Amino acid sequence: MKKKFFATCLAGALCASAIFGIVGCGEKEQPDNEKIDGQAPAFSDADVTLSLTGGIDKTTASRQISSDLFGLFLEDINYASYALDDNLIANGSFENSASKSDRWRAESGAKLTVKNTDGIFKNRSAFGDVNLDYAEIVTSAGGELNNLGYQAAPIAVKEGVDYVFSAFIKTGSYSDGLTIEVTDGTIVYATKDISLAPSTEWVKYQTTVNATGTCSKDLVIKLKFKGAGTVLLDSIQFETTDSTLGFKNYLYDAIKNLSPAFFRFPGGCIIEGLDDSSYYDWKNSIGASKVAGEHSADTVPEFVYTLNHDGQISEQRTYGEQATRSYNMDIWGKYDKTTYYQMEYGIGFYEYFLLCESLGAKAIPVLNCGKACQGQSAGLPLNGRHGNKVNDFIQDAKDLICFAKGSVNSSDPNEKYWAQVRANMGHPEPFDMDYVGIGNEQWGDYYSNFYEKFLNEFAFESNKLYGSVKIIVGNCTMFEHCELPSANRKGAAQTAAIAYKKQGKISSIAEYGVHDQHYYMNYTDFLANTKLYDDYKRADTDPNDYYEVFVGEYSANSAIPRSPVSDEGARYPYTENSWITALSEAAMMTGFERNGDIVKLAAYAPMFGNLARKNQWGVNMMFFDSTNVVLTPNYYVQQLFMQNAGDHKLESSVSFASGSAPQTTYNGAKGAQVISRTLDDFYYVASADEETGDLIVKIVNAGATEMKLNLNVGTSGVKLRGTAKIVTLQNGKTNAVSTLADGSAVYPATRVVDGFTDNTLGVTVEPYSVTAVRVRTK
């Protein structure tokens, strides 16, 4: 069940189990009690020798690695929000833009009419046009109002689990009872009777329903009226208690066990939208109205109502609960108009911030820049919440920073107001937020007419709070728009920053913002570009031309240069998430970490696809249905890098007994083109962990041949403990995929070794594998 109104401390949040992961909950490892599994003496006939040739440099800028490097990006695509949300009822507020009664059926003598003249708010003037609609049910005895749930995340119940039903009901003279029932038409899996008292006021009824059986197919949630009459209903929910912070546990656990350093949300294209009705509005997601207050053009009013909880009557005063959140259309809904896809904001920015806090991950929200999606529309300017175009979106960004990081004691009235909203919702202390994205995959006049207006406004803002957040700037849509020094190619955002610098607005390119690079490519493109950032400008050598990078979206596929949208292949799960794609991403991630002074953040995308074959995007880290999640090989590569990230780069060298790195020739399709490429098989990165003292070497073998590797750590200048932990992901078939039927294609195999030879340990690097070696120093 959602906890909209939290106390400051989250210590009571349950730690996710380690069933998916290497180290439960991402905790730092405790090597003191490690059991030795074997010895790792140096090979006398090593194929590869990797030597750590220098000590740990904690001061030189170019030797440092971002502490936030590997994190997550969640976009509400492929119906992900419906799978995550603990609520099982679709369109519970009857606000769907296409059809107000969508996903509802009135049957057995009941008639449903959606009206908007007698809504649930006593102080309607404070809420403006928020949640005007509600259902009027005129029924005979035995009439039913049935909810079909979400097509892409169908209703599912589990025996023994409690579900919390709630609804705002205005009974008028109706005094007969109501039965809540979950059924497939043959078997009833959960049922509860509630008494309704006659009332001329709206009352929120709430009760707990226990499931007596397990089912995830063809279920319907029925509201059965025992008598005849007219009843009004609104904001109906049926929430599982098998959840954390409003997120279903089976998906929350999978996210938690990755151990992300940051969490980017909620998009992606959904923050851009197609028009003013279809971009993600963060203020709608926390229950804001467009009614002005003393210090703000938007307000989050107090919601006062009567609660009937199993017959116990009380007055409730809340802020931001879902009944106060206006819907928006989801941009991805245009691709399948037969499948319900609306942004209901059951999970909004407040829940995302709480999730980040629970994960121990920094929050990176992304906001609309004032311009619609250029990739899926003409990219026209949007009007904004109050018709002031880009200025409304600038104010939205300021208000978000105040909401997330502001102080309730601030002398700035706007900061104080939005900080108080956060406190009213249950979180007095600020959230951990160092970045905010302004726009997404945009270009052209995006820079001069939109993004730079944010920069100008923030530069002259007297409140230093806004300067405490780094702004992330969009970099168009694909790899071809990124800087490529070897081809003397400038990046899209880099080009705009250079022009802005020439105007005298900034003194260095870095002041323009963190460049948000996106690329979805064939796996051979990843293998071929692992050194992309090696030649980028450095802060300690070229401070005026250096800039920071956020690889905000990336993933590899096996046949196409970009993931399909309209192609039917995108509808099918698994096919593009093969082991070779994960191997190529691992190779690229060694480049991210080796250049961790440039690449500050990196996130695989998208996070979720669904098993119902209703995907807008075919390549995904995880695939869900209503009760299961399939963890792809790409998931485990992300987990390995997140849980074995370093803080400082280590000088190193590598040599091969054959004289050169082994290579593989790839002959395959890239779009409609057949290509041949000969690429290295061996990739690695060496770093040190500040907290544990471990020396960490991550190795990718993208080839079919086993390698005997000698890892010489004796010249690193660090005293060794004499043990090492080795974690390996491996599958001999490059086309292997994880499936619901067969399980994971790879899974971390862990062993602890000692018995080094003169500070050199021998590591067998298996074919088609990713290996993390943690050499203990404490």
Side-chain angles (χ1 to χ4, degrees), residues 266-278:
C269 293
I270 70 162
I271 65 100
E272 300 165 337
L274 301 173
D275 52 34
D276 278 281
S277 69
S278 61

Side-chain angles (χ1 to χ4, degrees), residues 6 17 23 106 123 168 204 214 238 242 258 308 331 420 436 468 487 492 526 537 628 667 682 705 725 733:
F6 298 95
S17 67
V23 181
N123 51 335
F168 284 86
K204 182 177 182 178
T214 298
F238 194 79
D242 187 10
L258 282 163
N308 183 325
I331 188 174
Q420 187 61 56
V436 62
S468 70
F526 280 88
K537 303 294 186 182
N628 301 287
N667 295 296
F682 185 85
T705 303
K725 181 176 181 179
K733 297 180 179 180

Side-chain angles (χ1 to χ4, degrees), residues 90-102:
N91 193 27
S93 289
F94 305 93
E95 297 285 335
N96 179 43
S97 57
S99 171
K100 300 293 186 180
S101 60
D102 199 8

Side-chain angles (χ1 to χ4, degrees), residues 691-703:
E691 182 176 344
T692 66
D694 290 352
L695 308 180
I696 307 171
V697 180
K698 292 184 283 295
I699 304 157
V700 179
N701 182 358

Side-chain angles (χ1 to χ4, degrees), residues 113-260:
T113 306
V114 177
K115 295 189 172 182
N116 61 12
T117 57
D118 188 17
I120 63 176
F121 303 117
K122 295 178 180 179
N123 51 335
R124 165 52 66 184
S125 61
F127 286 91
D129 60 359
V130 171
N131 192 10
L132 294 171
D133 298 310
Y134 57 90
E136 179 189 75
I137 307 300
V138 179
T139 183
S140 58
E144 299 177 358
L145 178 63
N146 301 330
N147 190 266
L148 309 180
Y150 304 107
Q151 295 106 308
I155 298 165
V157 293
K158 183 178 180 180
E159 184 177 357
V161 173
D162 286 337
Y163 296 81
V164 178
F165 168 83
S166 63
F168 284 86
I169 303 176
K170 188 172 183 179
T171 53
S173 60
Y174 183 87
S175 60
D176 292 299
L178 177 71
T179 298
I180 307 149
E181 191 175 279
V182 182
T183 179
D184 61 4
T186 302
I187 301 173
V188 175
Y189 293 92
T191 186
K192 184 74 171 286
D193 291 334
I194 60 173
S195 299
L196 301 179
S199 176
T200 58
E201 300 291 332
W202 285 93
V203 175
K204 182 177 182 178
Y205 284 83
Q206 182 172 306
T207 191
T208 299
V209 185
N210 183 263
T212 56
T214 298
C215 185
S216 59
K217 185 178 180 181
D218 299 329
L219 290 181
V220 174
I221 297 174
K222 291 178 175 285
L223 307 183
K224 302 172 74 171
F225 299 90
K226 295 185 176 181
T230 300
V231 180
L232 310 184
L233 298 101
D234 199 2
S235 193
I236 307 170
Q237 295 182 295
F238 194 79
E239 300 169 292
T240 177
T241 60
D242 187 10
S243 61
T244 300
L245 306 175
F247 297 82
K248 294 191 186 83
N249 276 336
Y250 73 103
L251 296 180
Y252 173 87
D253 288 349
I255 295 171
K256 179 80 171 178
N257 281 309
L258 282 163
S259 310

